[in-house]
């Protein structure tokens, strides 16, 4: 069993390493093709983590070798922000981090930046740091649950009041379950948990 588990884990590690190298080669293609200047510009990648962009953005379409504008709802998965001119996304300049529509049941908590290990808000201005030229600055969308969970103990107590109240109503109040529920609500509702 241990050998099987170690083989499985080794296989998973191999595939994850291949995924990273394949991803890095995609970014290198932007630099190698001359689309991005390796000496002064950066590629910025946003992992939307199940969300989508709130507003539209220009996306590089490799099939036509040009930028096309896409609606934000259509941009999911990873959004790669490439400089559209030779004067943008340079070291020392600011870029606006995109606003995001989170997956259902969650709210956006911030952009985690792998380059500097900081978290940034949406629509924040991010300054491209010195030494980043020729690099890929990766951001990861972080979420938190949108709704606060209901108090489990209160829900269970409510069910118990109804069940035992109905039984008490049948036994003590000649079948009037509402009276039994009111009795148990008075008894258990007075307790402060």
């Amino acid at each position: 069993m241990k050998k099987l588990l170690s083989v499985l884990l080794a296989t998973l590690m191999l595939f994850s390493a291949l995924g990273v190298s394949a991803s890095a080669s995609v970014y290198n293609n932007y630099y190698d093709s001359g689309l991005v200047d390796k000496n002064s510009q950066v590629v910025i990648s946003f992992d939307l983590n199940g969300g989508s962009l709130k507003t539209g953005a220009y996306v590089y379409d490799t099939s036509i070798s040009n930028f096309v504008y896409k609606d934000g709802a259509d941009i999911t998965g990873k959004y790669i922000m490439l400089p559209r001119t030779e004067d943008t996304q340079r070291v020392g300049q600011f870029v606006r981090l995109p606003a995001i529509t989170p997956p259902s049941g969650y709210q956006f908590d911030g952009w985690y930046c792998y380059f500097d290990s900081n978290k940034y808000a949406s629509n924040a201005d991010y300054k491209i740091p010195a030494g980043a030229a020729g690099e890929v600055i990766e951001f990861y969308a972080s979420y938190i649950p949108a709704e606060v969970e209901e108090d489990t103990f209160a829900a269970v107590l409510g069910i118990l009041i109804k069940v035992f109240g109905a039984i008490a109503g049948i036994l003590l109040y000649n079948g009037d379950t509402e009276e039994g529920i009111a009795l148990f609500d008075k008894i258990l509702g007075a307790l402060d948990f």
Side-chain angles (χ1 to χ4, degrees):
M1 184 67 178
K2 288 181 182 178
K3 288 182 182 180
L4 178 65
L5 184 60
S6 65
V7 168
L8 180 64
L9 289 174
T11 305
L12 289 173
M13 288 174 45
L14 177 64
F15 282 120
S16 67
L18 291 174
V20 169
S21 65
S23 175
S25 69
V26 169
Y27 297 129
N28 285 334
N29 287 341
Y30 295 125
Y31 288 113
D32 294 341
S33 68
L35 188 62
V36 183
D37 182 8
K38 191 176 254 186
N39 297 316
S40 61
Q41 293 178 308
V42 297
V43 172
I44 302 175
S45 172
F46 296 94
D47 184 344
L48 304 178
N49 189 19
S52 62
L53 294 185
K54 276 193 178 180
T55 59
Y58 282 93
V59 177
Y60 189 75
D61 187 343
T62 55
S63 65
I64 61 172
S65 298
N66 206 351
F67 288 93
V68 293
Y69 188 81
K70 289 179 90 175
D71 186 55
D74 295 333
I75 301 174
T76 59
K78 276 199 177 182
Y79 164 56
I80 300 173
M81 182 187 284
L82 296 172
R84 291 182 48 219
T85 67
E86 61 186 40
D87 297 330
T88 57
Q89 286 182 222
R90 293 179 165 279
V91 171
Q93 291 181 336
F94 288 91
V95 292
R96 176 75 39 104
L97 301 181
I100 192 165
T101 301
S104 178
Y106 292 91
Q107 67 183 27
F108 181 70
D109 188 44
W111 287 110
Y112 176 78
C113 180
Y114 290 109
F115 194 80
D116 62 12
S117 299
N118 288 321
K119 192 182 274 190
Y120 299 91
S122 64
N123 290 323
D125 288 328
Y126 174 77
K127 185 176 183 180
I128 299 172
E135 299 289 332
V136 177
I137 300 176
E138 295 182 273
F139 289 90
Y140 178 80
S142 175
Y143 304 110
I144 58 174
E147 296 123 22
V148 178
E149 291 185 24
E150 180 182 315
D151 183 15
T152 306
F153 184 73
V156 170
L157 188 60
I159 293 169
L160 290 175
I161 287 173
K162 288 179 184 175
V163 170
F164 289 122
I167 294 170
I170 292 170
L171 296 175
L172 301 175
Y173 297 108
N174 296 327
D176 187 0
T177 57
E178 294 297 324
E179 284 290 323
I181 292 173
L183 172 69
F184 267 82
D185 191 37
K186 186 188 277 184
I187 292 170
L188 294 178
L191 299 175
D192 188 23
F193 289 104

